[in-house]
Structure formats: structure tokens, C-alpha cells
Amino acid sequence: MIAIIIGVVGLILGGGGTFLLSRKLNSSKANLIIEDAKKEAEQIRKEKLLQAKEKFIELKSEHDKEISRKNNEINNANQRVAQKENTLNQKLAEVNKKDASFNQRMSDIDIQKSVLEKKQAEVDKLHKKQVEQLEQIANLSADAAKKKLIESLQDKAKTDALEIIQTTIEEAKLTAKQEARKIVIQTIQRIATEEAVENAVSVFNIDNDAVKGRIIGREGRNIRAIEAATGVDIVVDDTPGAIILSCFDSVRREVARLSLHKLVTDGRIHPARIEEVVEKTRNEIEEEIVQIGKKTTIDLGIHGLHPELIKMVGRMRYRSSYGQNLLQHSRETANMCATMAAELGLNTQYAKRAGLLHDIGKVSADDAETPHAIIGMQLAEKYGEKPEVCNAIGAHHDEIEMTSLISPLVQVCDGVSGARPGARRAMTDEYIKRIKELEETAISYPGVLQAYAIQAGRELRVVVESEKVTDEAAAKLAFQISDKIQNEMTYPGQVKVTVIRETRAISYAK
């Protein structure tokens, strides 16, 4: 029992000692942890303090910069204000100066006004006195004299008015003719086309003369097959590198030329192949004709044209008249008709259609003895064109009576297009001759240095010697030249004669 008690007491004492020792150890660790925490806190405090100082320095630097920028702006603003203040002061001084000058002028004006009023009073007094004297001399009152004067002025005004009216009427007639000529001339100037060349042959170029033998073939069978298939005469002679294709029909010549090109390129030239290639080429040309007709109508802004008429328009591309390409001539006529119709207030679409179709009778396969204008009118009626358009086509060579204003318009434009210098080869020599005659006529007068015909012969510029021809003589010379041209020459439209006289003073610095 005692042993148990001793054991229990020992346990208690051991546990207490252990507890006390453990507590002492824990207290020592706690102190160490606290010390570490204090050190770490102090380190963190120092770091934060350093960061705060750096941030403060950074903010202070930015603040200083901002303050410096604001100060610069304030200084600049103060300078601008000072400049504006100086400017305003200068302007104010100028205004004060002008105000003083104005006041001085007003004072002078008041003085002058006072003097004028006095003089006006004296003039009125003298005028009244003169009127009284005139009334005594003429035995008429002022009102009666005014009445007679007014009646006299009215009679004179009526006479002058009648003269002005008569002059205005004559000028209006002259102006109307001039305006009509002006419309025609402006229309011609707006429609510029290239010179057409009449041609009944085409040249097919080859790389070497050995190809000629292959085209001729054995005993001439190939060339005979080509001529039979195309209807074109093929001339193979000693001309190096060329074969001549001759035919009045340019469509056939084009078919022959393209067929030869395909045959020579392919290398297979024999009668069966020739017939095949010619037929294929003819179909291609027919398609191209339709495309040309469609493109022409689209370019001119013409819609609703019958397909057969479109095809005939395309065929005009391969037809010429007096050396002038028929399609080019028809396009030019259509454009001129539309321009002149617009100037005259007529239907531009009808005028344009009639201008384009006026020569379709030339590409028709109908009776050749019937005038082409009648054939064209019949075709237009057949394919549903308006009566105004049909009449214009049929009447443009006076085969039928004109029934609308578009008909003479088409006739005039057709003539203008054909008569335009360079349009037809047959007229080129005549045009050049007329230009030379114009210049020679002017040069024949004394005192003339040079003469130049410009604007297709519509203007003649004459340069004279200033020592021999005075200004009055220059005006007289212009009248004499124009009168001689009018009486002795034949020309379309009118010719403007301009005499140029100038004086030049030349000196040299050495």
C-alpha cells in the first residue's frame, strides 16, 4: 500500500516536473518566435517605409513637372495676353486717329454744306429770275413750255422706237440664220471621225514564199477550192511575203483572209479542209456582224431594234461608199442628227434611229435597181419602225415627199457627213485645192506676209506688215478678202477672215 502511495506521489511529482520543464521550453520558443516576428515586422516596416519614400519622391517629381508645365503655360498665356494687349492698344490708337480725322472731315463737310446751301439759294433765285424773264419774252408760262417740250420728246421717242424695232427685226433675222449655221458647225465639230479609205483588195501576209506553193496546191486545186468557197479572187504573184485578195465585197475578203490564216497556221491545206474552214469562218463572221450591230446600238443608246436590222447595221462595218466606211458614216450621221434634234427641240431618239438606219438599203440583198433609200424604208416598215423614222430613211435622197421635221434633218446630216473634208477620198483633192486657193487669195494682196487656212477652211488668218498696213487698212483688207472669197469661190458654210497686224520692238542686251 505504501509502495502504491509512493508510486502515485512519484508520478505526480514527475508529471509536475515534466509540465514545468515543458512550460519553460515553450516559453523559450515563444520568446524566440516573438523575437523573429519583431525582426520580420521591423524588416517589413523598413521596406514599406522605403517604398513609401520612393513613391513620395516619384509623386513629388511628377508634381514638380506638372507645376513646371502649368507655369510654362501660364507664362505663354501671359505673353499672348500681353501681345494682344499691345495689338489692341495699337488698333485703339489707330481708331482714335481715324476718329479724329473723321471728325475733322465732318467739320469740313459741314462748312462746305453751308457754303453750298448759300450758293444753291443764290442759284434758285437766279433761276427764278431767268424763268420770269423767259416767260415775258416768249409769252408762255413754264407749264405750257413743259407741255410743248414733252410733246416734242414723245414724237421723237416714237420715231426712235420705230427705228429700233425695225433694226431689231432685221438683226433677229440675221441672228436666226447665224444661229442655224452655228448649230450645224458645232454639231460637226462635236462629231470627230477618222478618214475613211476605199479599198477593194486585202493583203494576206506570209512568213516565207514556200507557203504560196502549198496554197496553190497540186495543179492549182487548193487555190481553186478557196476561190470557189469564198468568191474571192486570189492573186499569187512575185510580191514577196504577200498574197492579194481581190473582191468588191469586204465580207467575203475578210472570210477569205481569216480562212487562209487558219489553214496556214494549221498546215493542212486540201479541198475538203478548205471547205470546212471557210464554212466555220463564215459562221464566225456572221456572229461578229451581229455583235458589231449590238455594240453599235448600245453605244448610240438605241433600244428595241429588230434583230434583222441589228444584223444589217453590223454588215455596214464591211461596206464602204465613195471610200467612206458605211457604218462609220451612219454612226456619225446618227450622232449629228441627235445633236441637232436636241438643239431644235425635236425627238432625239427618232432622229438617232433614222440617222443610223438611213443607208441600210445598201447592205440589203434585194433588187439592186431600186434606190437604196426606198429599200431601207421598206425594210424599216417591215421590221416595225415608226412612220417618222421610215419617212426620214426614204426621203433622205428626195425619192419620196418629206412628212416630218426629222426627214430634212437626216438629209442634211447625211450630206454634212459625206461632204466633211477627208470623209470621202473623192473629195480630198478638192478640199486641199480649196484650202490653197484661200491662202493664195489672201497672199495676192500687197502688204500680206502669210496666210493660214484653219478649222477645215472655215477660218482664214492673214498676217500683214505693220509698216505697210495701218489699222484702218487692215479692216478694209479683211472686207476685201472676204468679198473676193464670197464672189469667186465655192465653199460650204462660211469663212471667217481675220487680219492680224502687230508691232514688235526688239532690243539686245550685250
Side-chain angles (χ1 to χ4, degrees):
M1 187 67 176
I2 295 171
I4 292 170
I5 294 170
I6 293 170
V8 171
V9 172
L11 272 173
I12 292 170
L13 292 174
T18 302
F19 174 74
L20 292 174
L21 182 59
S22 174
R23 185 175 180 182
K24 187 175 181 180
L25 292 173
N26 288 336
S27 176
S28 177
K29 288 180 179 180
N31 291 331
L32 291 174
I33 291 172
I34 290 171
E35 288 295 329
D36 293 338
K38 287 181 178 180
K39 291 179 180 179
E40 186 175 357
E42 183 65 21
Q43 182 67 27
I44 292 172
R45 186 182 68 82
K46 289 181 179 180
E47 291 177 355
K48 293 295 182 182
L49 183 60
L50 182 60
Q51 291 177 357
K53 287 182 179 181
E54 292 176 351
K55 186 66 174 178
F56 174 75
I57 293 171
E58 182 180 353
L59 292 174
K60 186 175 182 304
S61 176
E62 292 179 357
H63 177 70
D64 292 340
K65 290 181 181 179
E66 183 67 19
I67 293 298
S68 176
R69 186 179 65 79
K70 293 289 185 181
N71 289 335
N72 290 334
E73 291 180 356
I74 292 170
N75 292 332
N76 293 333
N78 290 334
Q79 291 178 358
R80 289 195 296 270
V81 170
Q83 290 177 355
K84 289 182 178 179
E85 186 177 357
N86 291 333
T87 304
L88 289 174
N89 291 333
Q90 292 176 358
K91 290 184 177 180
L92 181 60
E94 291 177 0
V95 169
N96 292 334
K97 185 177 179 181
K98 290 181 179 179
D99 189 41
S101 176
F102 176 75
N103 292 333
Q104 182 63 35
R105 288 186 180 180
M106 288 298 296
S107 177
D108 295 340
I109 289 172
D110 290 338
I111 296 171
Q112 293 176 1
K113 184 178 179 183
S114 177
V115 174
L116 287 174
E117 288 176 352
K118 291 180 180 180
K119 289 184 179 181
Q120 183 65 36
E122 294 176 359
V123 169
D124 292 341
K125 186 176 180 180
L126 292 173
H127 179 263
K128 185 176 180 181
K129 185 177 179 180
Q130 288 177 352
V131 169
E132 291 175 354
Q133 291 176 355
L134 288 172
E135 287 178 352
Q136 291 176 0
I137 295 171
N139 292 324
L140 285 174
S141 66
D143 293 336
K146 287 180 182 178
K147 185 176 180 180
K148 285 191 175 184
L149 180 61
I150 290 171
E151 290 176 355
S152 175
L153 290 174
Q154 284 179 344
D155 293 337
K156 188 175 184 304
K158 288 180 180 179
T159 303
D160 293 343
L162 289 174
E163 292 179 357
I164 292 172
I165 291 172
Q166 185 65 28
T167 304
T168 304
I169 292 173
E170 293 176 358
E171 289 179 353
K173 292 180 180 178
L174 180 61
T175 304
K177 293 180 181 179
Q178 291 176 347
E179 286 297 321
R181 292 172 181 170
K182 182 180 177 182
I183 289 172
V184 175
I185 292 172
Q186 287 179 347
T187 302
I188 296 172
Q189 289 175 337
R190 292 180 194 175
I191 312 300
T193 56
E194 61 184 9
E195 179 179 346
V197 178
E198 184 174 12
N199 198 357
V201 298
S202 298
V203 178
F204 176 68
N205 296 312
I206 55 178
D207 295 333
N208 57 73
D209 290 342
V211 178
K212 292 182 179 180
R214 297 173 58 197
I215 292 175
I216 295 172
R218 182 181 300 175
E219 298 178 355
R221 64 176 186 175
N222 289 345
I223 194 170
R224 286 197 301 270
I226 296 173
E227 291 178 341
T230 61
V232 175
D233 292 333
I234 300 178
V235 180
V236 181
D237 53 17
D238 296 334
T239 304
I243 295 175
I244 308 300
L245 309 177
S246 176
C247 181
F248 70 93
D249 190 339
S250 55
V251 176
R252 294 182 188 175
R253 291 202 312 273
E254 185 67 11
V255 170
R257 188 185 68 81
L258 293 177
S259 299
L260 280 174
H261 177 71
K262 292 179 180 179
L263 289 169
V264 171
T265 303
D266 182 59
R268 295 176 293 168
I269 306 176
H270 51 81
R273 177 63 178 167
I274 290 170
E275 292 178 0
E276 178 187 349
V277 170
V278 169
E279 184 62 26
K280 185 177 179 180
T281 304
R282 185 177 290 113
N283 293 334
E284 291 176 355
I285 291 294
E286 290 296 328
E287 292 178 2
E288 184 179 355
I289 287 172
V290 174
Q291 294 301 320
I292 291 172
K294 290 181 178 179
K295 184 179 184 300
T296 301
T297 56
I298 291 172
D299 291 343
L300 294 175
I302 297 176
H303 306 287
L305 208 62
H306 193 277
E308 287 298 324
L309 294 179
I310 292 177
K311 189 174 180 180
M312 290 182 181
V313 170
R315 288 187 70 83
M316 288 194 290
R317 166 67 177 80
Y318 297 99
R319 175 69 188 269
S320 62
S321 176
Y322 299 101
Q324 187 178 24
N325 182 269
L326 192 58
L327 179 60
Q328 193 69 28
H329 164 66
S330 298
R331 287 173 63 106
E332 182 178 350
T333 304
N335 284 323
M336 284 195 291
C337 286
T339 304
M340 295 180 68
E343 294 287 346
L344 299 174
L346 302 178
N347 190 312
T348 57
Q349 284 298 319
Y350 287 0
K352 192 182 295 184
R353 294 173 83 95
L356 178 64
L357 301 176
H358 77 283
D359 274 344
I360 57 171
K362 292 184 178 180
V363 295
S364 173
D366 293 341
D367 184 9
E369 295 181 359
T370 305
H372 73 274
I374 301 298
I375 296 175
M377 180 186 69
Q378 294 172 352
L379 290 170
E381 291 174 345
K382 178 180 178 181
Y383 295 118
E385 288 299 315
K386 299 291 183 182
E388 295 87 347
V389 177
C390 297
N391 179 260
I393 295 172
H396 78 276
H397 284 313
D398 294 322
E399 274 84 6
I400 62 172
E401 183 181 356
M402 297 182 181
T403 59
S404 70
L405 291 176
I406 295 177
S407 301
L409 197 64
V410 173
Q411 185 182 52
V412 169
C413 293
D414 176 48
V416 169
S417 174
R420 176 176 55 79
R424 295 180 175 177
R425 173 175 287 183
M427 301 188 66
T428 304
D429 295 338
E430 180 183 346
Y431 162 70
I432 295 173
K433 181 180 177 182
R434 179 164 58 85
I435 294 295
K436 289 182 178 179
E437 287 180 358
L438 279 173
E439 295 179 350
E440 290 172 356
T441 300
I443 293 174
S444 65
Y445 285 86
V448 176
L449 284 175
Q450 293 290 339
Y452 303 99
I454 61 175
Q455 293 188 4
R458 290 192 296 274
E459 182 176 354
L460 180 63
R461 292 188 179 177
V462 183
V463 182
V464 299
E465 298 182 47
S466 59
E467 295 82 4
K468 297 181 180 180
V469 181
T470 63
D471 290 339
E472 293 78 9
K476 185 178 179 181
L477 179 63
F479 174 77
Q480 291 175 346
I481 294 174
S482 62
D483 186 63
K484 186 174 181 179
I485 292 172
Q486 183 174 349
N487 294 330
E488 298 181 4
M489 294 184 63
T490 302
Y491 53 90
Q494 61 183 5
V495 178
K496 175 183 176 183
V497 179
T498 304
V499 176
I500 302 172
R501 177 182 180 273
E502 64 177 1
T503 303
R504 297 184 182 183
I506 302 175
S507 180
Y508 296 95
K510 298 181 179 179

